[in-house]
Amino acid sequence: MNVTEVSSIALQTFLTMLVVMDPIGLAPIFIGLAGNRPSFERRKVALKAALVAGGIILVFGLVGRALLEHLGISLSAFRVAGGILLFLIALDMVFARPSGSKETPEEEQEAHERQDISVFPLAIPLIAGPGTLASIMIQANTAHGSPLLLTVVFLVTGFVLLLCYLALRLSGQIARVIGVTGVHVVTRVLGVLLGALAVQYVADGVLELFRGGMRTG
């Protein structure tokens, strides 16, 4: 093992995880989901989302493929499930349905009853979605059992996750700049985009399942 091999897998992991986790794309989505919450709560949600996503990514990187195979679940089926969950959130955003993002001072006292968006949909499927989990499993396999290369994969992935957390934290500043009306516009536009992304997830998953069935048929 040499420096070139380590650098190669580090760069490959960084580019792959940066694309699938998309820190920049998370900021406006977070504005739509939690833009009207107080800043202290947004910080807590951002931190919890990053930690939960990191835990999920770590677990899948270590035992994900073996776990799915043991349960008889394909990555294609996992992609379909993630797409369905994402589509439900998109519907709430487009039609401005109550999702816990709007809040009055009185409602702060009832925060324990509010929907927790840190785990769903932020941690999964937006950060640790099907693409991310599939990618970390592939990158972990690229390490070929080497503890050093596997450590590099997880460290680089952790750095990208840190970028995601920073993007969520800075989203509050973006919300102040564009205002309430801007948040509403962004919410609906992103709802449409999220709906399209969800449909693409489902379509890709169904196509992969169909192809798999044709090969085994």
Side-chain angles (χ1 to χ4, degrees):
M1 186 182 304
N2 50 45
V3 176
T4 302
E5 185 178 4
V6 173
S7 301
S8 177
I9 195 171
L11 180 59
Q12 181 182 6
T13 301
F14 176 74
L15 294 177
T16 300
M17 302 310 292
L18 187 67
V19 170
V20 296
M21 296 171 72
D22 189 16
I24 301 300
L26 287 175
I29 295 176
F30 188 61
I31 294 173
L33 292 173
N36 291 329
R37 298 191 181 198
S39 58
F40 78 91
E41 186 175 347
R42 290 198 302 269
R43 289 194 297 269
K44 290 173 57 177
V45 168
L47 179 59
K48 183 177 179 181
L51 291 176
V52 171
I56 294 172
I57 292 170
L58 178 62
V59 170
F60 265 79
L62 293 174
V63 300
R65 183 174 293 275
L67 178 61
L68 290 181
E69 291 177 354
H70 178 73
L71 296 175
I73 301 173
S74 67
L75 291 178
S76 303
F78 190 80
R79 184 179 295 274
V80 172
I84 293 173
L85 294 176
L86 199 60
F87 188 76
L88 294 176
I89 289 298
L91 287 178
D92 285 341
M93 294 176 68
V94 170
F95 294 106
R97 295 172 181 170
S99 61
S101 61
K102 296 182 179 295
E103 175 178 62
T104 64
E106 292 79 10
E107 290 171 334
E108 292 184 24
Q109 301 177 2
E110 302 175 355
H112 63 282
E113 298 179 359
R114 185 184 301 112
Q115 179 183 357
D116 184 3
I117 64 171
S118 58
V119 177
F120 172 76
L122 286 178
I124 185 168
L126 290 179
I127 300 178
T132 302
L133 300 182
S135 297
I136 191 63
M137 285 189 284
I138 292 173
Q139 292 304 121
N141 288 337
T142 304
H144 302 298
S146 168
L148 175 59
L149 293 181
L150 191 60
T151 300
V152 170
V153 168
F154 285 124
L155 286 178
V156 173
T157 301
F159 176 71
V160 177
L161 187 62
L162 176 61
L163 295 180
C164 292
Y165 168 71
L166 293 177
L168 296 180
R169 287 291 305 271
L170 292 175
S171 65
Q173 300 177 10
I174 299 174
R176 286 194 294 271
V177 171
I178 66 177
V180 175
T181 301
V183 169
H184 290 169
V185 172
V186 169
T187 297
R188 286 164 174 79
V189 172
L190 286 176
V192 175
L193 296 178
L194 278 177
L197 177 61
V199 171
Q200 188 64 55
Y201 270 149
V202 174
D204 290 344
V206 170
L207 182 60
E208 291 169 3
L209 288 172
F210 178 76
R211 288 174 176 172
M214 290 293 291
R215 286 195 297 267
T216 58

